[in-house]
Amino acid sequence: MKPGLKVVAFARRIAMALTFHRRAVTLGVRIAVFDANGHVLLVRHRYMPGWYLPGGAVDPGESAPEAALRELSEEAGLAGTQPPRLVGLYRNLREGGRDHVAFYRLDRFEAQPNALAPNREIAEAGFFAFGSLPEGTTPATLRRLTELSDGTPPPADW
């Protein structure tokens, strides 16, 4: 290899390494919450279409289970009365493959005064039977609920 090409190749490797380190891995959470009738909680955001499991980003200094319970409180006004159970850790390819989602399940909670009330972020929230999910339930939400209902092992990708 010519000396000039060696410099270019070295510079390219350095640039790729710096780019790799700048794009941090991100972590989000989703939580499947079931009531005493086995109905699942779904939320509809004001800023994007579809029905989702509650969730969001893990904040600095926060654990993933703490984030799941915080998001549940913020989005639906419910407080977990037990630790959420980790179902799986998924890679979210829609966000470039460096985003990951920790998926939790919760079967015990209590309502706060603002339970299921619309807020700045959430247009609607409610509990739905698996066979009667609202129109617009997202494909990823349907996949996660199907896995929970039939015991399918979680895949690697969200």
Side-chain angles (χ1 to χ4, degrees):
M1 183 180 284
K2 294 182 181 179
L5 292 178
K6 285 183 181 180
V7 171
V8 170
F10 179 74
R12 184 169 182 226
R13 281 196 307 269
I14 295 293
M16 287 175 61
L18 291 174
T19 300
F20 177 77
H21 289 293
R22 276 188 290 171
R23 291 182 297 153
V25 172
T26 58
L27 179 61
V29 294
R30 291 283 175 186
I31 186 166
V33 179
F34 293 90
D35 67 10
N37 298 318
H39 297 169
V40 66
L41 173 67
L42 297 178
V43 297
R44 189 174 63 79
H45 297 88
R46 294 187 184 279
Y47 53 86
M48 60 185 177
W51 287 86
Y52 295 81
L53 297 162
V58 176
D59 290 339
E62 183 177 52
S63 71
E66 290 168 343
L69 293 175
R70 175 185 50 76
E71 290 288 347
L72 177 62
S73 175
E74 291 174 2
E75 293 186 2
L78 301 177
T81 58
Q82 67 182 50
R85 181 175 58 86
L86 180 65
V87 175
L89 183 62
Y90 303 76
R91 179 180 52 187
N92 186 357
L93 294 174
R94 277 188 35 205
E95 302 298 326
R98 295 189 60 78
D99 181 52
H100 290 76
V101 179
F103 179 41
Y104 290 90
R105 178 183 178 133
L106 182 71
D107 295 294
R108 292 189 191 163
F109 61 89
E110 54 188 32
Q112 299 169 330
N114 60 338
L116 305 180
N119 59 43
R120 280 187 347 207
E121 181 182 7
I122 302 300
E124 294 180 81
F127 283 91
F128 301 91
F130 184 68
S132 300
L133 298 175
E135 186 175 328
T137 300
T138 66
T141 299
L142 291 171
R143 287 191 302 273
R144 299 299 80 82
L145 293 175
T146 299
E147 292 158 12
L148 286 175
S149 72
D150 68 13
T152 304
D157 297 327
W158 186 253

